[in-house]
Amino acid sequence: MSIKVGMVSLGCPKNQVDAELMLAKLAEAGYQLTPNESEADVVIINTCGFIEDAKREAIDNILDVAANKQYGNLRGLIVTGCLAERYRDEVAKEFPEVDAVVGIGKNDDIADIVGRVCNGERVVCFGDKTDAPLEGDRVMTTPPYTAYLRVADGCDNCCTYCTIPSIRGSFRSRPMDSVVAEARRLAGSGVKELVVIAQDTTNYGTDLCGHSLLPQLLDELCAIDGIEWIRTLYTYPDRITDELLDTVARQPKICNYFDIPLQHVNGEILSRMNRTGDRESLTALIGKIRSVLPDAVLRTTLITGFPAESEEQFAELCEFVKEVRFDRLGCFAYSAEEGTPAAGFDGQIAQEVKERRAEVIMNSQLRIIEEKNRQRIGTAVEVLVEGYDSYIKCCYGRTRGDAPDIDAKVFFMPADKRPLAGDIVTVMINDTIEYDLLGEQI
């Protein structure tokens, strides 16, 4: 009887791509993949370890799955991903229920590790971070019409609050011909939407030739038949160039969607974060984007309660949010991560203060979104259909301005013939509910 292997992947889309690469290795080795943890002989938890909340989620999943070793059929529990890479000794020591702790540099060996675990061996293995595979066959875990296209891994920005460089290593780009070849394969399998990802997508190619190759790559991707939508995530504000804006404006397949994690707007706070810019320069950047692309959808993430953030600096951030009126925004209370420079800074702020400030930002953003959504009533939007909700008897999907698993939905009544998941249809908006839009298919 073949061994059944289940995978739980936590965290960001980049981690999801790691999981898909490992699943392909397992399938190639003859293991039977199952989405049902309860029937698996071995479960792999591909963890996130970026901030405190992610660590807690990973630990909770480890403990939940470990219970199946006592009460179910589980023979092996393997922990991979960023938590394993970041806390090598601690995971192996603190979780005796775990049969293998695997660093990202050993992801290619996952099939062999499963076999060793099934033979009763406890495995703890780590390789060089830069050995983490960036390409290869994947077992897709996204819907068949959407796929993530990872173009690089690692990060050289070294923001003082961030653990990514220590976990994922230095920034390294994939060769463009490899990326384009993968995109063609995805299009051939029915993918319509490519979501281009890296820790810093705008930095793509700088390690290969000294300058960003993202505009050139986007042109190559737009030439692929079958691909209808292309969006990029994680674009660093300093690297949004005139060439990139011109490329987005020129290519109709590219969604006018800019995911720009700003983190803050006060120049002093940004400097302490080891980031550049200030309110004036960031306001100018947003103005330039909207000048070139008046219908651009702007998304950002912000951090409140960074060490020594004063009430005045927080007020400046609030004013900026109200002034710029982002289309999408997430705000998070600062998490002091061990091993980062910022964790040792003076002026650490109480958790309740950090969380209160984040809540103020999000409440302000909700009012902005509600007003923006009301302005869309009576307009027609293009929607990528994701499914049908039998409970409320309507279809749902996303616009060009909504990234998968991140942003809002459009719920709509279908026309005479219900569209299929992956279809792109036109919907007339007639109502809103908080972040989401309601309408009818035209």
Side-chain angles (χ1 to χ4, degrees):
M1 183 176 69
S2 63
I3 294 170
K4 295 181 179 180
V5 182
M7 172 79 74
V8 177
S9 190
L10 307 172
C12 67
K14 299 173 289 288
N15 220 35
Q16 188 172 345
V17 172
D18 281 345
E20 292 172 346
L21 290 166
M22 285 189 281
L23 287 170
K25 290 286 183 183
L26 294 165
E28 182 184 9
Y31 292 106
Q32 183 178 345
L33 306 180
T34 175
N36 190 344
E37 294 171 38
S38 64
E39 69 178 26
D41 299 297
V42 176
V43 170
I44 302 166
I45 303 180
N46 187 36
T47 59
C48 178
F50 177 45
I51 58 174
E52 190 62 34
D53 286 348
K55 288 184 286 186
R56 281 199 296 268
E57 182 185 20
I59 291 168
D60 288 345
N61 272 270
I62 292 170
L63 295 175
D64 287 345
V65 174
N68 289 334
K69 293 181 75 176
Q70 182 176 357
Y71 302 109
N73 300 320
L74 189 66
R75 294 168 56 186
L77 171 56
I78 298 174
V79 175
T80 65
C82 291
L83 186 80
E85 182 68 37
R86 184 178 178 189
Y87 297 103
R88 300 181 172 195
D89 296 334
E90 292 93 330
V91 173
K93 179 180 177 182
E94 298 297 329
F95 298 99
E97 310 95 326
V98 172
D99 300 288
V101 182
V102 184
I104 63 172
K106 289 293 185 179
N107 282 358
D108 256 353
D109 297 337
I110 193 64
D112 175 64
I113 292 166
V114 169
R116 292 165 65 186
V117 165
C118 288
N119 287 329
E121 184 180 349
R122 192 170 199 242
V123 181
V124 178
C125 59
F126 297 88
D128 192 301
K129 302 177 200 301
T130 58
D131 288 339
L134 301 187
E135 56 192 62
D137 292 336
R138 294 159 60 186
V139 172
M140 305 305 296
T141 58
T142 50
Y145 48 82
T146 294
Y148 294 108
L149 183 66
R150 182 168 61 183
V151 299
D153 195 24
C155 189
D156 295 333
N157 292 332
C158 297
C159 302
T160 58
Y161 54 82
C162 185
T163 58
I164 288 176
S166 65
I167 296 172
R168 305 297 303 194
S170 58
F171 186 86
R172 52 203 184 278
S173 302
R174 293 174 58 186
M176 187 179 298
D177 58 353
S178 169
V179 176
V180 174
E182 181 177 14
R184 288 199 181 101
R185 291 195 299 272
L186 291 169
S189 71
V191 168
K192 293 183 178 180
E193 178 188 36
L194 288 177
V195 184
V196 181
I197 57 171
Q199 272 77 15
D200 177 0
T201 309
T202 37
N203 202 29
Y204 171 69
T206 56
D207 55 322
L208 301 178
C209 66
H211 63 88
S212 176
L213 293 174
L214 182 59
Q216 183 181 340
L217 174 64
L218 291 174
D219 278 333
E220 293 283 341
L221 297 178
C222 287
I224 298 174
D225 290 339
I227 300 299
E228 298 188 40
W229 288 7
I230 300 170
R231 72 176 74 245
T232 57
L233 301 183
Y234 316 112
T235 54
Y236 204 73
D238 288 7
R239 300 189 177 101
I240 297 178
T241 61
D242 291 345
E243 182 186 11
L244 178 59
L245 293 178
D246 290 343
T247 302
V248 176
R250 176 169 43 81
Q251 292 285 11
K253 288 186 179 182
I254 302 176
C255 300
N256 296 346
Y257 178 96
F258 289 85
D259 172 35
I260 315 171
L262 298 180
Q263 313 308 355
H264 213 280
V265 69
N266 176 266
E268 182 179 347
I269 294 290
L270 287 169
S271 178
R272 286 167 61 82
M273 289 179 169
N274 196 35
R275 297 174 69 95
T276 59
D278 53 22
R279 183 173 179 176
E280 181 179 2
S281 64
L282 294 175
T283 300
L285 170 64
I286 291 164
K288 178 187 287 188
I289 294 171
R290 286 175 167 163
S291 174
V292 175
L293 296 155
D295 60 346
V297 172
L298 300 180
R299 185 181 197 279
T300 196
T301 52
L302 303 173
I303 296 173
T304 56
F306 190 77
E309 180 191 51
S310 68
E311 287 292 346
E312 291 75 20
Q313 290 167 330
F314 171 64
E316 182 179 5
L317 184 62
C318 292
E319 292 167 2
F320 177 75
V321 169
K322 292 176 182 177
E323 173 189 314
V324 170
R325 295 172 59 82
F326 289 98
D327 303 281
R328 314 281 184 263
L329 184 148
C331 187
F332 306 92
Y334 166 71
S335 177
E337 295 300 315
E338 60 266 47
T340 62
F345 286 176
D346 293 334
Q348 299 289 329
I349 294 172
Q351 186 66 26
E352 60 269 22
V353 175
K354 295 187 288 188
E355 291 178 355
R356 175 187 60 80
R357 290 178 179 179
E359 185 178 359
V360 168
I361 294 285
M362 290 308 297
N363 286 338
S364 176
Q365 179 64 19
L366 177 58
R367 290 191 291 271
I368 292 169
I369 289 299
E370 288 176 335
E371 183 178 338
K372 280 178 171 276
N373 280 351
R374 284 195 297 271
Q375 293 171 353
R376 301 182 76 176
I377 293 175
T379 65
V381 298
E382 194 177 46
V383 174
L384 176 62
V385 180
E386 295 182 302
Y388 180 80
D389 189 319
S390 58
Y391 180 73
I392 56 177
K393 293 183 172 54
C394 72
C395 297
Y396 59 91
R398 293 178 286 109
T399 71
R400 283 175 165 262
D402 296 295
D405 300 321
I406 297 175
D407 297 318
K409 302 285 188 189
V410 178
F411 295 90
F412 63 93
M413 298 301 298
D416 293 340
K417 183 179 179 182
R418 185 190 303 171
L420 301 175
D423 288 347
I424 296 176
V425 301
T426 302
V427 174
M428 179 65 69
I429 302 303
N430 54 34
D431 205 351
T432 72
I433 178 170
E434 290 191 339
Y435 292 97
D436 298 323
L437 299 172
L438 310 176
E440 297 182 359
Q441 181 184 352
I442 297 176

